[in-house]
Amino acid sequence: MAKAKIRIKDIAEQAGVSVGTVDRVLHNRGEVAEETKKKILEIANKNNYQPNLIARALTSKKTCVFATLLPTPSEEDIFWKRPLNGISDAESELEQFQIKVEKFFFEHYNESDFIKQTEDILKLKPSGVVFPPIFKKESLDFIEKLEEQGIPYVFLESKIKECNYLAYVGSDGYHSGRVAANVVDYSTPANGDILIINLAKNLENVHHLNKRTQGFLSYFMDHGRNTGLKINIEIPTSKSALIKEKLDDILSKNQNIKAIYITGSKVYKIAEYLLRNQLDDITLVGFDPIEQNIKNLNKGSINYLIGQHPYQQGFKAVKKLFEHVMLHQEINRDEILPVDIINRESYKLYQA
């Protein structure tokens, strides 16, 4: 039979002192005679006393403020609604512990707006921060200031390995790229060319897309069956007119393109182009079962999507901050979530 946990009341009885005296010693509050203090600590250590941290957090009257920074979940960037929903649900669950989450947003792929929002977060002086390090250079500047102030931070969506981050929750971007490559490899003629599209400007600074591109290309360098060209292009915005211009040009020059890989979630933008131009012989693979992508998956203009559990990323990231800041628990630093290969038959089973 497991030994019953010792309580403060039990320690007080064994030491012959009041519960209040034991509480002051264990929580280092107020003056207690050295001999009494020693006796109490010896009894606590002997019985492996563990404080009820959850009860302590429940009785705390101090509000703990966390900050989150995400791209604005607009119609164009609807993917970000899912981690935001996870963050909001975690906040609701932790409301009883006086946890408040201040949510900040920046325009996706706008470095200047990202910097402005990080400045506002630093003024807030939160107890912890959750954010995706989309812009590597600007994220490193933000991280340096967080670390100067002793503010723990949790990454989602992607991570910068060389940082002293508290935790990361998300998929492995490099491995996700390799998974996508495997799907493309077996859905494309062995001699067909493959087009890689990054819907972003300054790809080298857009951390997660860069990792997915590297992983995708590494697969074919290692053991891919496809021997066709791997053509990598960058389209700085997702405006339909610019996409049409770029794809009209590249497809007219490379008529052997048999697959297109999109490193982000705006796969539907390319699917719409393929539909309009009746290019149904090109395999299209990208990320995230957002509403627009599912619609095109059902039409057959998208063949496969890679799912990466964005809701869980947001929910678990906030919970990790709570466990570290309020419960002083040791945190599992890297929680790598699985990626899922989704097609028109399986998307209804996918749990975001």
Side-chain angles (χ1 to χ4, degrees):
M1 182 179 291
K3 186 178 178 180
K5 291 183 179 179
I6 193 169
R7 303 167 299 174
I8 288 180
K9 180 182 177 181
D10 301 323
I11 296 173
E13 288 176 356
Q14 291 184 37
V17 298
S18 69
V19 170
T21 300
V22 176
D23 184 76
R24 286 198 296 276
V25 171
L26 295 179
H27 302 123
N28 198 25
R29 292 195 290 260
E31 294 294 327
V32 176
E34 195 61 36
E35 186 177 341
T36 303
K37 181 178 180 180
K38 183 180 178 182
K39 187 175 182 180
I40 289 169
L41 291 175
E42 283 177 353
I43 295 170
N45 290 333
K46 181 181 177 182
N47 291 277
N48 194 27
Y49 170 73
Q50 297 292 328
N52 190 336
L53 296 174
I54 292 179
R56 191 187 302 175
L58 276 168
T59 57
S60 173
K61 292 183 170 59
K62 182 181 178 182
T63 298
C64 180
V65 178
F66 298 144
T68 61
L69 178 59
L70 299 177
T72 303
S74 63
E75 193 63 29
E76 279 282 299
D77 282 307
I78 199 169
F79 166 81
W80 292 102
K81 284 185 178 179
R82 295 190 174 184
L84 178 60
N85 289 340
I87 287 166
S88 297
D89 285 353
E91 181 183 19
S92 297
E93 187 173 302
L94 298 173
E95 186 178 12
Q96 60 185 319
F97 297 99
Q98 305 297 314
I99 300 295
K100 181 174 177 55
V101 180
E102 292 287 350
K103 302 174 185 71
F104 294 80
F105 301 95
F106 65 95
E107 184 184 340
H108 207 178
Y109 304 128
N110 184 331
E111 293 95 329
S112 298
D113 195 29
F114 178 85
I115 292 169
K116 180 181 181 303
Q117 298 306 317
T118 62
E119 290 170 349
D120 289 343
I121 288 173
L122 291 166
K123 289 175 187 174
L124 178 67
K125 296 184 178 178
S127 296
V129 177
V130 173
F131 76 105
I134 289 175
F135 307 117
K136 187 170 184 179
K137 177 179 177 298
E138 290 74 15
S139 292
L140 286 171
D141 291 341
F142 182 37
I143 288 163
E144 182 179 356
K145 292 167 185 172
L146 289 173
E147 292 182 353
E148 285 174 359
Q149 294 187 25
I151 300 173
Y153 53 94
V154 176
F155 290 142
L156 51 75
E157 182 65 5
S158 66
K159 66 178 178 179
I160 302 176
K161 290 183 179 179
E162 57 266 31
C163 297
N164 189 29
Y165 57 93
L166 173 68
Y168 166 65
V169 184
S171 60
D172 182 312
Y174 185 86
H175 179 69
S176 298
R178 290 182 66 91
V179 170
N182 181 259
V183 171
V184 169
D185 195 23
Y186 285 93
S187 306
T188 308
N191 62 349
D193 295 341
I194 299 171
L195 178 62
I196 304 163
I197 300 179
N198 287 282
L199 286 168
K201 61 180 180 179
N202 189 14
L203 177 61
E204 282 300 314
N205 199 36
V206 182
H207 191 59
H208 63 301
L209 300 188
N210 193 26
K211 285 292 181 185
R212 291 174 188 171
T213 302
Q214 291 173 5
F216 186 87
L217 292 172
S218 77
Y219 173 89
F220 291 102
M221 292 172 65
D222 290 345
H223 49 63
R225 61 186 277 279
N226 180 275
T227 58
L229 296 174
K230 311 300 180 292
I231 305 162
N232 197 343
I233 67 169
E234 190 175 306
I235 304 179
T237 75
S238 58
K239 292 181 179 178
S240 297
L242 183 59
I243 288 173
K244 180 181 185 305
E245 177 187 331
K246 293 286 186 180
L247 289 184
D248 282 351
D249 179 61
I250 197 77
L251 292 174
S252 66
K253 293 176 180 176
N254 300 270
Q255 297 184 13
N256 191 41
I257 290 175
K258 300 300 179 184
I260 298 177
Y261 165 58
I262 313 300
T263 57
S265 61
K266 297 178 184 177
V267 196
Y268 65 95
K269 290 282 188 177
I270 309 304
E272 290 167 358
Y273 172 90
L274 297 180
L275 274 174
R276 283 195 301 270
N277 291 275
Q278 299 181 332
L279 297 171
D280 53 6
D281 60 335
I282 295 179
T283 297
L284 180 59
V285 176
F287 284 82
D288 305 311
I290 59 175
E291 286 84 344
Q292 299 100 316
N293 287 344
I294 291 298
K295 181 179 177 181
N296 282 278
L297 192 71
N298 279 324
K299 289 179 181 178
S301 52
I302 294 176
N303 299 89
Y304 298 97
L305 293 167
I306 308 300
Q308 48 188 338
H309 302 273
Y311 174 90
Q312 290 297 326
Q313 291 187 41
F315 184 85
K316 291 187 174 187
V318 172
K319 292 293 286 290
K320 283 184 180 291
L321 274 182
F322 167 73
E323 290 163 4
H324 172 74
V325 173
M326 297 296 288
L327 302 185
H328 309 289
Q329 292 181 353
E330 190 173 330
I331 302 300
N332 176 18
R333 195 170 189 232
D334 288 317
E335 184 163 352
I336 305 301
L337 301 179
V339 295
D340 301 311
I341 300 172
I342 304 164
N343 61 20
R344 67 193 298 180
E345 302 300 327
S346 67
Y347 79 90
K348 291 180 182 178
L349 303 174
Y350 177 70
Q351 299 295 314

